């Protein structure tokens, strides 16, 4: 972007702030929790309708994901010879259908509240507003632009990952319009994630008459949880936490079945491999109990590389040209940007509008940040 274009762009987005907010509201008020095919397709239809109004859009592609909804790909300025810029995000939210009834769209001072507004429907709207600005201001980018909004990011991208990797492999770089970090910081690093379920299969017995004949699956899991938490290395960003546990059938029966779910976060693939090996090789303390591990590494880490820092510095300088401070940070949560980074494609994450409360009842964005972002 030429420095001379910055004032015109900022003025344009300031003038259009009301319309952008209305667009955000329309998209937010189409509830689209993960697995809600009807909601997903409704959001895609609204965004597709917006894309159809733009002459710089060359194609609109909906990819069906049975059981989840539709993924959306918008291609613009495709005749330009350079590799495309990939704008990445998702349309699914964690908020169940009906959330708007108790947490409606509302504005309180500079805060705009609504389920899914921060993570990340407002970011999706920004992508389309960028294309609109190019058209209205007659600005041509240096690269083609591809917008990809998946419909299953919040649940690990079971169908979206392949599409993200395919589009990212052809991109010059990727901008992820996920929620920004506190203070509006961009995300130049993200931990990778893995989830496992550890199941224990023991021997039932009457807890009063003959408990010695039983082998408690719950007791065995208690032993294993100590082993799992011993895998933590917080000093290098590795965490392994048992977050749910269940088991047993009645208060007077030695439990023959129990299971727990394990959340793992890591900053390097070597740590991911270490944890996975340790969990898969857990041995029972009580040999009468058998252990079963289900799960795998879900997302690789987004590691802060020189190319990512270079991309961040370019964004920081553009922001500084209109006195907007764009900081950077590294976070524990993962996104589809993790899949991009492992391909060696430069990626800058967390470029969404400033706000707070992702996945909570007080989720919101800052009204004043819309034009600048």
């Amino acid at each position: 972007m030429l420095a001379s274009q910055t004032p015109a762009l900022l003025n344009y987005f300031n003038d259009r702030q009301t319309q952008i907010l209305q667009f955000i509201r329309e998209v937010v008020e189409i509830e689209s929790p993960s697995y809600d095919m009807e909601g997903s397709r409704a959001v895609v239809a609204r965004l597709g309708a917006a894309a159809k109004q733009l002459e710089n859009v060359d194609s609109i592609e909906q990819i069906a994901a049975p059981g989840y909804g539709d993924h959306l790909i918008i291609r613009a300025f495709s005749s330009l010879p350079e590799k495309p810029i990939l704008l990445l995000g998702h349309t699914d939210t964690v908020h169940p259908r009906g959330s708007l009834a108790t947490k409606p769209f509302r504005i309180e001072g500079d805060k705009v509240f609504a389920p899914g507004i921060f993570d990340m429907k407002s970011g999706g709207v920004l992508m389309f507003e960028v294309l609109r600005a190019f058209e209205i201001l007659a600005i041509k980018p240096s690269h083609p632009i591809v917008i990809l909004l998946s419909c299953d990011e919040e649940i690990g991208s079971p169908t979206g990952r392949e599409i993200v990797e395919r589009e990212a492999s052809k991109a010059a770089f990727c901008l992820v319009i996920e929620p920004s970090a506190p203070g509006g910081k961009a995300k130049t690093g993200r931990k990778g994630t893995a989830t496992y379920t550890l199941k224990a299969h023991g021997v039932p017995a009457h807890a009063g008459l003959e408990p010695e004949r039983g082998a408690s699956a719950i007791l065995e899991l208690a032993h294993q949880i100590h082993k799992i938490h011993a895998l933590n290395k917080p000093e290098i960003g590795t965490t392994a936490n048992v977050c749910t546990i269940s088991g047993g059938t009645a208060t007077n029966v030695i439990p023959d079945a129990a299971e727990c779910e394990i959340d793992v976060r890591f900053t390097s693939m070597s740590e991911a491999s270490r944890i996975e090996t340790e969990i898969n090789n857990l041995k029972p303390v009580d040999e009468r109990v058998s252990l079963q591990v289900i799960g795998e590494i879900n997302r690789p880490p987004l590691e802060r590389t020189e190319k990512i820092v270079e991309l961040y510095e370019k964004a920081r300088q553009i922001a500084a040209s209109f006195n907007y401070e764009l900081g950077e940070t590294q976070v524990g949560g993962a996104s589809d940007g993790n899949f991009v980074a492992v391909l060696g494609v430069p990626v800058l994450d967390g470029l969404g509008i400033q706000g707070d409360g992702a996945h909570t009842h007080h989720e919101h964005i800052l009204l004043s940040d819309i034009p600048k972002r």
Side-chain angles (χ1 to χ4, degrees), residues 327-338:
E328 65 156 318
T329 190
Q330 300 181 57
V331 298
S335 79
D336 280 347
N338 292 52

Side-chain angles (χ1 to χ4, degrees), residues 27-45:
V27 174
V28 164
E29 291 187 338
I30 303 173
E31 294 181 293
S32 56
S34 304
Y35 300 109
D36 189 323
M37 294 180 65
E38 180 182 352
S40 172
R41 288 171 178 167
V43 169
V44 166

